[in-house]
């Protein structure tokens, strides 16, 4: 078991570092040190921050070694310096940041070789190594967002997602009412906000078979959705009026068609692809316009994990096995979501598709602790964000690595955020009429 855990941790750390290198080697030093948006850090900040977190947790905490660069801890403290202020800090230059991160990683691999994976919650089952791999992959997704915001010619490329022609699908599926298990107490690398497992009871509801597509969202735009006050939460209405928002981020109308910018490429908006780069306010307004609503976080997880035949909760919609390329669009293998209805092997027991990968899905829920929550290993990962200011997103996107994506994984962000790889699906109460958008896709 120890050798298996060591191999698992090594694979996760290596995969994350290879992705970090790919995201930072495809542009020059000027792009690495520039701030491409006040919403994001310079890429070089993320690079050194990844190394600094690895040093603090794996070298100092797990390995009990002396600090390599204690003088830079405050520079790379995400809570001490907001993103907009980071370019003015005396950051490590790109070459120095690379050397630092590589030095830390070399020492970490030595620690990994001698760690027994027992003796406390930080090392049990290799948790700290898994936490750091997840942390790096989360910053890799952040850096990919920065690449999307970056102006200029394309710096990244990837093959197109596979095509799965499975014929028409039902517009929605019924999730039966009753109890289910939410969260986890057994997933070894689950983070504190995913814990503990607990029982929830929900009434029956319907949920979309797939995420809402660009074509469906265009219908909302063409019907004047951005100009109808009645569809919008008050803060959302103020947001779109103040910033003159009339479509998802990176979209524009030209020559009678909708175009978008995707990693430096201008292309026609694909109607059958899940809509991307919408805020919670936009998702909520669309759902109201469609006579529906956003699912709660609990509804999303029940649709994704609950097996009505056995009563148990799965790790993933398809079962307990780790994701493969046949199950979901993950890991930046592709630089876009797959068409709605893709990945039939990844559907849930209730025949809901694309719950994992493709796009983060906004839910109606605030980010709150589960009953019995205990902050670990530090309050700043989850606890300081609990409250009504942040909304929960579920499922992961094409930019998420499998190590940072589970049926229990919880993401959260401010409801105004649009630069993230966010989409949504809608739901309705079981007793509510289907409305004019019912039927098949």
């Amino acid at each position: 078991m120890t050798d298996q855990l060591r191999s698992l941790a090594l694979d996760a750390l290596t995969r994350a570092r290879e992705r970090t290198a790919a995201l930072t080697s495809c542009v020059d030093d000027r792009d690495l040190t520039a701030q491409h948006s006040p919403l994001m850090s310079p890429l070089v900040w993320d690079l050194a921050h990844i190394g600094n977190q690895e040093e603090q947790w794996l070298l100092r905490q797990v390995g009990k070694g002396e600090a390599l660069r204690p003088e830079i801890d405050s520079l790379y403290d995400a809570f001490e310096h907001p993103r907009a202020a980071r370019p003015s800090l005396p950051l490590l230059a790109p070459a120095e940041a690379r050397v630092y991160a590589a030095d830390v990683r070399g020492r970490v691999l030595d620690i990994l070789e001698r760690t027994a994976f027992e003796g406390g919650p930080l090392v049990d089952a290799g948790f700290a190594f898994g936490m750091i791999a997840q942390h790096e992959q989360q910053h890799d997704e952040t850096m990919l967002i920065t690449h999307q915001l970056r102006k200029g010619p394309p710096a990244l490329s990837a093959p197109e997602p596979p095509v799965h022609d499975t014929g028409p699908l039902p517009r929605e599926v019924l999730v039966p009412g009753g109890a289910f298990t939410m969260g986890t107490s057994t997933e070894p690398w689950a983070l504190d906000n995913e814990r503990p497992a607990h029982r929830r009871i929900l009434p029956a509801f319907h949920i979309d078979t797939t995420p809402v597509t660009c074509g469906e969202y265009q219908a909302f735009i063409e019907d004047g959705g951005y100009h109808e006050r009645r569809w919008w939460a008050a803060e959302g209405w103020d947001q779109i009026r103040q910033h003159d928002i009339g479509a998802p981020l990176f979209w524009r109308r030209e020559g009678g068609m909708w175009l978008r910018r995707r990693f430096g490429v201008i292309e026609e908006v694909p109607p059958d692809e899940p809509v991307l780069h919408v805020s919670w306010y936009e998702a909520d307004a669309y759902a109201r316009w469609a006579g529906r609503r956003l699912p709660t976080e609990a509804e999303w997880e029940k649709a994704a994990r609950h097996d009505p035949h056995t009563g148990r909760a799965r790790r993933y919609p398809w079962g307990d096995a780790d994701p493969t390329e046949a199950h979901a669009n993950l890991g930046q293998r592709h630089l876009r979501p797959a068409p709605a209805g893709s990945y039939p092997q990844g559907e849930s027991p209730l025949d809901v598709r694309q719950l994992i990968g493709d796009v983060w899905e906004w839910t109606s829920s605030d980010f709150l602790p589960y009953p019995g929550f205990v902050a670990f290993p530090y309050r700043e990962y989850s606890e300081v964000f609990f409250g009504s200011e942040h909304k929960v997103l579920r499922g992961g996107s094409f930019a998420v690595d499998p190590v940072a994506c589970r049926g229990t994984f919880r993401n959260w962000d401010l409801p105004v955020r649009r630069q993230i790889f966010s989409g949504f699906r809608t739901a309705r109460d079981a007793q509510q009429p289907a409305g004019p958008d019912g039927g098949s896709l």
Side-chain angles (χ1 to χ4, degrees):
M1 177 60 78
T2 297
D3 288 343
Q4 184 179 358
L5 281 171
R6 187 171 288 114
S7 177
L8 186 67
L10 177 61
D11 177 69
L13 291 168
T14 302
R15 191 169 67 246
R17 188 52 49 89
E18 289 173 348
R19 185 178 176 193
T20 299
L23 287 164
T24 54
S25 64
C26 60
V27 292
D28 59 23
D29 285 3
R30 182 172 55 182
D31 269 336
L32 289 174
T33 56
Q35 185 171 49
H36 298 283
S37 166
L39 296 172
M40 311 303 292
S41 308
L43 291 168
V44 75
W45 186 93
D46 288 287
L47 175 58
H49 171 77
I50 285 167
N52 186 250
Q53 287 292 292
E54 189 165 329
E55 180 193 346
Q56 291 193 49
W57 286 102
L58 298 184
L59 291 192
R60 302 181 199 173
Q61 295 291 326
V62 175
K64 307 300 182 185
E66 293 185 4
L68 288 180
R69 298 289 300 269
E71 76 280 5
I72 68 172
D73 288 356
S74 65
L75 293 178
Y76 298 100
D77 186 331
F79 288 89
E80 189 170 338
H81 304 287
R83 287 176 173 175
R86 290 171 189 170
S88 63
L89 299 173
L91 303 176
L92 300 185
E96 189 178 7
R98 289 190 180 99
V99 169
Y100 169 62
D103 186 13
V104 171
R105 175 54 59 87
R107 296 167 189 258
V108 162
L109 296 182
D110 290 339
I111 293 169
L112 179 61
E113 279 298 313
R114 63 176 187 264
T115 297
F117 301 119
E118 59 183 11
L122 196 60
V123 293
D124 287 349
F127 174 82
F129 296 95
M131 178 184 72
I132 288 300
Q134 291 177 81
H135 173 265
E136 182 163 353
Q137 288 285 2
Q138 288 167 331
H139 276 272
D140 288 340
E141 181 173 11
T142 298
M143 288 194 284
L144 190 62
I145 293 169
T146 302
H147 273 278
Q148 169 64 6
L149 289 162
R150 168 186 168 272
K151 300 297 195 296
L156 299 168
S157 63
E160 295 296 295
V163 175
H164 300 104
D165 185 7
T166 56
L169 295 170
R171 175 69 177 81
E172 61 182 8
V173 301
L174 175 67
V175 180
F180 78 106
T181 300
M182 187 171 184
T184 180
S185 296
T186 58
E187 187 73 29
W189 289 359
L191 303 169
D192 59 2
N193 62 66
E194 302 171 63
R195 301 172 182 270
H198 56 287
R199 299 290 281 175
R200 291 282 183 97
I201 299 176
L202 296 178
F205 63 95
H206 291 87
I207 193 167
D208 289 344
T209 303
T210 70
V212 170
T213 66
C214 294
E216 291 168 328
Y217 198 85
Q218 284 177 36
F220 167 67
I221 300 173
E222 302 299 340
D223 196 45
Y226 280 90
H227 303 284
E228 288 280 353
R229 169 68 184 83
R230 57 181 168 154
W231 307 130
W232 297 82
E235 299 86 353
W237 182 249
D238 291 344
Q239 184 76 10
I240 65 164
R241 298 272 70 78
Q242 180 181 351
H243 297 282
D244 194 25
I245 295 170
L249 188 60
F250 307 115
W251 284 31
R252 73 170 188 258
R253 187 81 167 168
E254 188 175 297
M257 67 176 62
W258 283 105
L259 303 177
R260 71 178 181 186
R261 179 169 59 84
R262 182 178 60 85
F263 298 108
V265 175
I266 303 300
E267 61 188 14
E268 187 173 355
V269 171
D272 60 346
E273 192 173 288
V275 68
L276 196 62
H277 297 301
V278 290
S279 69
W280 183 90
Y281 293 124
E282 290 169 293
D284 179 65
Y286 173 94
R288 294 170 190 250
W289 169 82
R292 299 167 71 82
R293 59 177 174 79
L294 295 179
T296 66
E297 180 183 14
E299 287 173 335
W300 187 97
E301 186 165 331
K302 184 171 186 179
R305 299 184 63 220
H306 180 65
D307 186 341
H309 307 294
T310 64
R312 66 181 294 270
R314 299 176 167 192
R315 293 180 68 214
Y316 298 97
W318 55 85
D320 294 338
D322 290 337
T324 69
E325 293 186 14
H327 290 124
N329 182 6
L330 293 167
Q332 201 183 310
R333 288 195 304 270
H334 316 291
L335 288 172
R336 65 194 307 158
S342 296
Y343 297 100
Q345 292 186 48
E347 68 182 12
S348 77
L350 296 166
D351 301 328
V352 187
R353 293 203 183 173
Q354 291 169 286
L355 286 155
I356 299 293
D358 288 304
V359 296
W360 284 108
E361 299 184 18
W362 288 110
T363 73
S364 64
S365 298
D366 296 336
F367 184 48
L368 299 171
Y370 289 159
F373 167 83
V374 176
F376 177 80
Y378 58 108
R379 290 186 60 249
E380 289 77 12
Y381 182 74
S382 302
E383 187 174 355
V384 297
F385 296 101
F386 289 148
S388 60
E389 289 187 357
H390 295 88
K391 294 294 185 181
V392 174
L393 302 102
R394 286 303 205 103
S397 72
F398 65 89
V400 175
D401 186 82
V403 76
C405 187
R406 295 171 285 278
T408 57
F409 193 93
R410 307 172 75 195
N411 190 8
W412 65 94
D413 216 324
L414 299 171
V416 299
R417 290 290 184 249
R418 310 172 78 222
Q419 82 276 15
I420 60 177
F421 300 117
S422 53
F424 65 99
R425 71 182 73 216
T426 67
R428 66 180 174 94
D429 298 343
Q431 67 272 21
Q432 177 186 349
D437 66 340
S440 297
L441 290 172

